[in-house]
Amino acid sequence: MKINDVILQTVTKIVTFIILTFAIYLFFAGHHNPGGGFIGGLVISSALILMLLAFDIETVTQTLPINYKVITGLGVLVSLFTGMASFVFHVPFLSQAHLHFYMPIVNEEINIATTIIFEIGVAMAVVGTTMTVIVSISRNKGDEE
Amino acid sequence: MSWLHSVVLLPFLYALMIPFLYRYVSRIHTGWFVLPLPLILFVVLGSWLVDISEGETMLYTLSWIPSYGINLSFYVDGLSLVFGFLISGIGALVVLYSIFYLSKTRELLHNFYVYMLLFMGAMLGVVFSDNLIGFYLFWELTSISSFLLIAFWYQRKKSRNGAQKAMLITVSGGFSMLAGIVLLHSMAGTYSIRGIISQAGELQEHSLFLPAMIFVLIGAFAKSAQFPFHIWLPDAMEAPTPISAYLHSATMVKAGIYAIARFTPLFGGTGEWFWIITSVGLVTLFWGAVNAMKQTDLKALLAFSTISQLGLITSLLGIGSLALAVTEEAETALYTTAVLAAVFHLVNHSTFKGCLFMVIGIIDHETGTRDTRKLGGLMSLMPISFTLTLIGSLSMAGVPPFNGFLSKELFFTSSLSLEETGIFSAGAAGLLIPAVAWVASIFTFVYSMILIFHTFRGKYRPRRLEKKPKEAPPGMLISPAVLAAFVIGIFFAPNVLAHYVLEPMVASILPGDAGDFSIHIEAWHGFNKELFMTLGVIVLGSILFLTWKRWKGIFTLFPQVYTLNNAYSSGILKAEQAAYSFTNIYMSGLTRDYIQYILGILIILAGGMLLFSEGISFRRIDVSTIEVYEVLLAVGLVAGALTVMLASKRLTAIIAIGAVGYLVALFFVIFRAPDLALTQLVVETVSVALYLLCLRFLPEFRFRETARRVQIPNLIISLGVGVLITSFTLAAQGNKLFPSISVYFEDSYELAGSRNMVNAILADFRGFDTLLEIMVLCIAGLGVYSLISLRMKEKRDDHEN
């Protein structure tokens, strides 16, 4: 049985980008407002899941040939290495640093912290794990049919 | 970081490069890249020799977990430096040898050299560590690298079994060592070996002193293959020969000896220490020698001979520990000689046994067999190998002019010295100790002769050999030749070695006055008892060897059923069966059972704790006013939960679970936790999608048919968990035992530069938790992936069948 899901597919093509943009916003907003690496990663995965629901797995893997297991591992490594970078500065493991400075054009105080790298690792691990689980389960399903 | 730290850590860093070198520079044998490292280490250690031999020591500390007193502190004195020389020096020779032994094209060289460098670093760590936790870490790392190296040819069943056996025995010993370390720490309050030794006087009165000693000794004996733990060493001979020469004769098995020597200043001078070590050493010496005679595999022969020689060194250390118990100067000097003999023989053994192993490897390599029943008459075909074997074996047998003779004589002197002594009723053993020593030496002589004559003399039978024998390539002969040169060189100039190497070694084993002496080793000291004992060994040994064919039958008299090996293998089998049947009792394969276990245990432990600590008090709970919409939400939640329970279709249940989740998210919004609400919303969305995906894998939903047998425990557990969590939450509100720590997080902008307190906690204040959480995530994801791919693979295999 083939379901006619043209509407879902058309909407998905647009909505995915909106969700992804929102995910990036959430990721950076996390510094001062609700958001952060974990939630950003989850929202990214939900966009990918929406794509999986609207299209079949083959199409999605063709468009995005990503090995999510690698993403997971890389994410953990990124977080681990930000922690280990502390050793170079002779401070305890996982010490984070931050920097305030004034941005003249946007007339705002900007704040950059090393936690952002750590959070990138977290987001990657979350996306990787969620997608590894979902892709491997749904691929198995495809094989059975 | 200091030079000393680099010496230990360099092999580990170097090991990281090996796979790349193997892959991208495959034209050159990987061994050539490894070779410079031990040579450099040897030179660096050599530059410290003069200072150390004058009695100086070095100590460098790199903090690791200073709050627990765990640091990477490395300490160099005479004892550790000599071990460092053995590790790097013999390491270099073994690497050189392995370049010719292991084929560039057929073997997995990158694995081999990575494991080997891992071992080298770990072993250096063992001998240089002053902190006991560091010591233990490196100690276990040597066991692991030994396991990997024994199983290097993992396609062979024997290799795998041998590796498993070695691992089980040495790691169990390691656990015992850890127990001893913990006891020592609880007594002395420090992990530093030097710190503990400095309190030796007070510790000897402590009630935990004896248990700590026994635990440490079990660890040392397991590592050094002392009776009854020796059974792993013969099976470890499945490793490639360079490894047998390096780990299982020259270095790793001596780690136990090192531990005994290192702890002698602490435990030495007590009766228990003397008796345990001396008797275990003598039994091992004797038993190893007896077994070595009956072996037909040359490597097994060498394995048992190694066991026997290790027993000799151990027993000497036992006798030498008496030096710390006696006060008279003459007696002290007598027992100091025993320690000297121990360290002297340790060095000598590394030279001649390393040489012998390498030659046996050559024979194996060139003829295709190590079986004495097939070999014979190789003398004219492999003259250089023959010469090297002759040198090594005669040194092992204790015949002049080789270094084994000198240490064997010293051994006799020490065993004889016990006759006159009165302490610890050691004199009561009377002639027993020298007698055992003497008989074991005769056996040693016999198997040394077997090694020479059954391989190189006798009838040449080319048909039984797999290859046509020829002399090995020169590169392979360099390493054993260097060691053989040492065997002879040490005999003629023992006092150079004694002054620079042995004296500082003895001084670190016997600190204080006992070690204050000078050594002079002589090959000739007149017609005394020791010389006659050696003559007796040679005469009787020759007679026994010549009549060997007549009496070798007695070895078959001993029933094979009662061997330690049998006990070990049946023990392993029984343990496996018992574990299997025990696991089968509770592993039902049903997820609901496992959830019951988890939640049931939670109720028992947490609930029990709550009851016994009388923590349930709802007195001081100040509840805020409850609004109408909150009540409505709660009703919705309960209704959703009931729908999950009562739904007749799984799809309904899943949607109801989603509804519950969204309602909880609404609660978070009301209570001003936007981060939580956001996360909860997305998690619910993703997990509903996941549930839907899993739906088709689950069996038919048979709610109505579920038996009461299952329902009633389910009801009890779910009610219990509900009550428990509720009372926990209320009790936590009711008991403010400590001031709240949340004030600290309010400064998150100053401390972490983030106005979002929750994220500052997640990424900065408690970053370690988050790091471990994503690791758990990663492991869980990979777990799901591998379980599913396993299932798919099984299915595919089924189709093919």
Side-chain angles (χ1 to χ4, degrees):
Chain A
M1 185 182 74
K2 180 103 177 100
I3 307 166
N4 187 352
D5 41 14
V6 172
I7 297 175
L8 182 61
Q9 290 185 354
T10 318
V11 171
T12 302
K13 278 179 195 164
I14 302 159
V15 168
T16 304
F17 285 100
I18 299 175
I19 299 178
L20 284 177
T21 319
F22 183 56
I24 292 166
Y25 163 74
L26 275 179
F27 179 80
F28 285 105
H31 206 51
H32 294 308
N33 298 306
F38 187 83
I39 187 79
L42 266 182
V43 175
I44 293 175
S45 354
S46 65
L48 296 175
I49 291 171
L50 183 63
M51 279 165 70
L52 277 177
L53 289 177
F55 304 91
D56 57 320
I57 182 144
E58 277 74 32
T59 323
V60 178
T61 25
Q62 259 177 24
T63 345
L64 288 172
I66 301 171
N67 186 349
Y68 293 106
K69 295 183 289 296
V70 177
I71 303 276
T72 320
L74 277 182
V76 174
L77 280 184
V78 166
S79 294
L80 191 66
F81 283 132
T82 37
M84 291 197 345
S86 316
F87 295 149
V88 183
F89 300 100
H90 292 283
V91 284
F93 183 59
L94 269 173
S95 297
Q96 306 284 6
H98 58 92
L99 192 71
H100 299 270
F101 61 87
Y102 182 74
M103 203 70 158
I105 302 166
V106 285
N107 201 17
E108 223 176 307
E109 198 168 306
I110 296 283
N111 192 324
I112 291 180
T114 49
T115 45
I116 201 116
I117 309 171
F118 184 80
E119 293 272 7
I120 288 176
V122 174
M124 279 165 77
V126 170
V127 174
T129 310
T130 321
M131 295 315 290
T132 308
V133 172
I134 285 178
V135 167
S136 45
I137 290 177
S138 47
R139 174 152 305 149
N140 187 17
K141 182 180 125 191
D143 269 23
E144 255 179 34
E145 280 164 355
Chain B
M1 288 291 274
S2 65
W3 272 103
L4 188 50
H5 284 99
S6 340
V7 164
V8 177
L9 300 178
L10 210 57
F12 294 113
L13 295 178
Y14 210 79
L16 291 177
M17 286 158 45
I18 296 301
F20 298 103
L21 287 172
Y22 174 73
R23 190 153 173 193
Y24 296 111
V25 201
S26 53
R27 273 188 314 122
I28 305 168
H29 196 288
T30 318
W32 290 114
F33 297 109
V34 182
L35 187 59
L37 182 82
L39 286 176
I40 292 169
L41 294 182
F42 192 81
V43 172
V44 172
L45 293 177
S47 68
W48 299 338
L49 178 65
V50 176
D51 286 347
I52 298 288
S53 71
E54 281 164 8
E56 280 180 42
T57 55
M58 297 154 80
L59 175 70
Y60 294 101
T61 302
L62 190 70
S63 16
W64 181 16
I65 317 176
S67 46
Y68 286 101
I70 296 171
N71 297 311
L72 284 180
S73 37
F74 291 137
Y75 177 70
V76 184
D77 63 355
L79 182 64
S80 44
L81 188 68
V82 173
F83 272 91
F85 278 131
L86 288 180
I87 295 159
S88 55
I90 296 190
L93 293 175
V94 163
V95 171
L96 178 66
Y97 178 79
S98 70
I99 292 172
F100 298 93
Y101 188 84
L102 292 172
S103 156
K104 187 171 72 180
T105 45
R106 270 174 297 147
E107 309 284 3
L108 300 166
L109 290 176
H110 53 310
N111 288 355
F112 181 81
Y113 287 111
V114 167
Y115 300 159
M116 190 152 157
L117 286 171
L118 207 64
F119 169 76
M120 198 181 283
M123 193 65 204
L124 287 167
V126 167
V127 299
F128 287 130
S129 281
D130 181 54
N131 192 288
L132 278 172
I133 293 294
F135 171 81
Y136 173 72
L137 184 85
F138 289 119
W139 178 273
E140 292 294 38
L141 205 53
T142 60
S143 295
I144 291 168
S145 48
S146 150
F147 167 81
L148 291 168
L149 283 165
I150 298 170
F152 177 64
W153 286 317
Y154 56 86
Q155 303 87 345
R156 305 181 187 171
K157 189 162 187 291
K158 274 179 121 179
S159 298
R160 295 198 302 270
N161 287 347
Q164 188 201 30
K165 198 174 190 178
M167 176 90 160
L168 280 177
I169 294 179
T170 51
V171 170
S172 315
F175 273 133
S176 161
M177 181 68 97
L178 181 65
I181 288 171
V182 172
L183 287 184
L184 282 176
H185 178 253
S186 71
M187 282 193 284
T190 169
Y191 281 117
S192 161
I193 298 180
R194 287 169 330 114
I196 293 172
I197 286 173
S198 66
Q199 305 173 32
E202 302 122 61
L203 292 182
Q204 291 194 349
E205 310 297 320
H206 203 285
S207 58
L208 288 176
F209 182 73
L210 191 60
M213 176 202 285
I214 289 169
F215 278 130
V216 168
L217 276 182
I218 289 176
F221 286 161
K223 196 81 162 184
S224 275
Q226 298 294 300
F227 188 87
F229 305 111
H230 66 275
I231 49 171
W232 68 266
L233 192 58
D235 286 4
M237 292 300 143
E238 292 300 326
T241 304
I243 292 312
S244 307
Y246 190 34
L247 270 73
H248 304 124
S249 89
T251 52
M252 191 185 88
V253 287
K254 296 217 166 80
I257 307 258
Y258 169 79
I260 294 175
R262 185 47 94 204
F263 285 110
T264 295
L266 172 65
F267 296 120
T270 56
E272 293 87 356
W273 181 259
F274 164 72
W275 275 113
I276 296 176
I277 295 185
T278 313
S279 49
V280 167
L282 281 174
V283 170
T284 312
L285 165 65
F286 185 77
W287 189 243
V290 170
N291 274 295
M293 284 191 295
K294 71 173 182 191
Q295 301 303 324
T296 51
D297 179 356
L298 286 175
K299 250 178 126 178
L301 187 148
L302 284 184
F304 277 106
S305 120
T306 305
I307 292 170
S308 162
Q309 305 278 329
L310 290 169
L312 189 154
I313 301 170
T314 312
S315 66
L316 277 171
L317 282 174
I319 298 171
S321 73
L322 286 180
L324 293 167
V326 295
T327 42
E328 261 180 75
E329 206 170 300
E331 275 193 273
T332 312
L334 215 54
Y335 300 125
T336 311
T337 314
V339 175
L340 168 70
V343 294
F344 191 28
H345 198 68
L346 186 134
V347 175
N348 291 346
H349 177 250
S350 294
T351 54
F352 66 69
K353 194 52 72 60
C355 168
L356 281 177
F357 263 113
M358 290 182 191
V359 179
I360 298 304
I362 290 174
I363 293 170
D364 190 10
H365 203 255
E366 301 301 328
T367 66
T369 182
R370 307 190 299 251
D371 196 327
T372 49
R373 289 166 299 190
K374 293 181 184 166
L375 293 165
L378 294 175
M379 191 171 97
S380 53
L381 293 164
M382 305 171 77
I384 304 173
S385 305
F386 169 68
T387 317
L388 295 173
T389 315
L390 197 67
I391 295 170
S393 309
L394 289 181
S395 177
M396 182 158 74
V399 175
F402 305 108
N403 58 4
F405 171 72
L406 297 176
S407 43
K408 208 53 156 289
E409 291 271 281
L410 283 171
F411 172 52
F412 287 145
T413 315
S414 323
S415 65
L416 286 170
S417 70
L418 281 175
E419 259 185 284
E420 301 113 41
T421 186
I423 41 166
F424 305 137
S425 54
L431 277 173
L432 187 67
I433 293 174
V436 171
W438 188 64
V439 173
S441 302
I442 296 175
F443 292 159
T444 308
F445 187 86
V446 174
Y447 69 67
S448 302
M449 293 303 117
I450 291 176
L451 184 59
I452 302 171
F453 286 95
H454 287 190
T455 315
F456 290 101
R457 299 291 304 172
K459 216 168 163 194
Y460 173 51
R461 286 161 294 193
R463 281 206 181 163
R464 294 200 185 180
L465 304 177
E466 286 171 21
K467 295 185 196 167
K468 193 173 156 31
K470 58 173 193 319
E471 189 56 273
M476 223 164 165
L477 289 165
I478 294 173
S479 300
V482 169
L483 287 172
F486 271 105
V487 169
I488 301 174
I490 291 173
F491 176 82
F492 286 108
N495 290 311
V496 179
L497 185 79
H499 177 68
Y500 283 107
V501 173
L502 302 182
E503 267 183 42
M505 245 176 134
V506 175
S508 39
I509 299 175
L510 301 173
D513 294 339
D516 190 18
F517 67 103
S518 68
I519 297 172
H520 196 70
I521 302 170
E522 288 210 58
W524 176 253
H525 25 223
F527 290 101
N528 51 9
K529 273 188 198 161
E530 291 90 321
L531 188 69
F532 288 120
M533 280 171 91
T534 307
L535 283 177
V537 165
I538 296 175
V539 171
L540 267 175
S542 310
I543 294 171
L544 277 178
F545 173 68
L546 290 173
T547 56
W548 187 72
K549 283 215 168 71
R550 299 214 189 121
W551 57 269
K552 69 176 177 183
I554 59 162
F555 289 123
T556 52
L557 293 179
F558 188 69
Q560 288 295 308
V561 190
Y562 298 112
T563 54
L564 278 168
N565 259 327
N566 252 333
Y568 166 83
S569 30
S570 64
I572 290 285
L573 197 68
K574 291 233 173 71
E576 272 178 9
Q577 284 167 349
Y580 189 72
S581 48
F582 178 71
T583 310
N584 271 349
I585 295 174
Y586 64 89
M587 294 302 280
S588 58
L590 293 172
T591 317
R592 67 158 183 257
D593 283 355
Y594 301 150
I595 292 176
Q596 278 187 0
Y597 298 150
I598 295 170
L599 294 179
I601 289 169
L602 173 82
I603 293 172
I604 292 167
L605 290 185
M609 198 278 286
L610 208 59
L611 277 181
F612 281 108
S613 63
E614 291 168 0
I616 313 175
S617 77
F618 307 125
R619 272 172 294 142
R620 297 202 290 133
I621 307 171
D622 34 347
V623 188
S624 61
T625 48
I626 300 171
E627 305 288 337
V628 184
Y629 53 88
E630 287 168 8
V631 177
L632 284 177
L633 270 182
V635 170
L637 264 178
V638 173
L642 283 175
T643 319
V644 176
M645 266 171 61
L646 300 174
S648 57
K649 272 190 185 165
R650 196 164 252 137
L651 196 64
T652 325
I654 289 172
I655 290 168
I657 288 178
V660 171
Y662 287 128
L663 286 175
V664 171
L666 264 180
F667 260 121
F668 288 144
V669 173
I670 292 170
F671 294 127
R672 281 177 292 172
D675 285 272
L676 279 181
L678 202 56
T679 314
Q680 176 77 17
L681 275 175
V682 186
V683 167
E684 279 310 321
T685 314
V686 173
S687 51
V688 166
L690 201 59
Y691 279 133
L692 289 173
L693 269 176
C694 293
L695 201 60
R696 54 174 299 119
F697 294 104
L698 297 171
E700 276 296 299
F701 198 49
R702 290 171 312 196
F703 174 72
R704 310 268 171 234
E705 297 154 30
T706 319
R708 294 229 172 265
R709 200 166 45 77
V710 183
Q711 278 181 339
I712 290 169
N714 274 355
L715 183 70
I716 294 170
I717 285 177
S718 51
L719 279 180
V721 173
V723 170
L724 178 76
I725 299 296
T726 312
S727 46
F728 235 120
T729 319
L730 293 176
Q733 283 295 318
N735 298 300
K736 282 258 155 82
L737 295 178
F738 306 102
S740 167
I741 56 166
S742 58
V743 188
Y744 178 76
F745 299 123
E746 280 167 16
D747 297 333
S748 69
Y749 189 67
E750 283 74 44
L751 292 169
S754 165
R755 282 200 194 89
N756 182 349
M757 197 197 295
V758 178
N759 264 1
I761 294 172
L762 281 179
D764 199 337
F765 298 134
R766 309 285 309 165
F768 209 12
D769 293 357
T770 312
L771 183 65
L772 293 180
E773 268 162 28
I774 59 171
M775 279 183 188
V776 171
L777 262 185
C778 174
I779 293 164
L782 292 180
V784 171
Y785 171 75
S786 37
L787 279 178
I788 287 176
S789 5
L790 205 68
R791 215 177 99 119
M792 281 162 74
K793 198 165 161 261
E794 266 171 18
K795 264 196 200 131
R796 219 169 293 141
D797 290 348
D798 282 349
H799 284 310
E800 278 165 16
N801 292 341

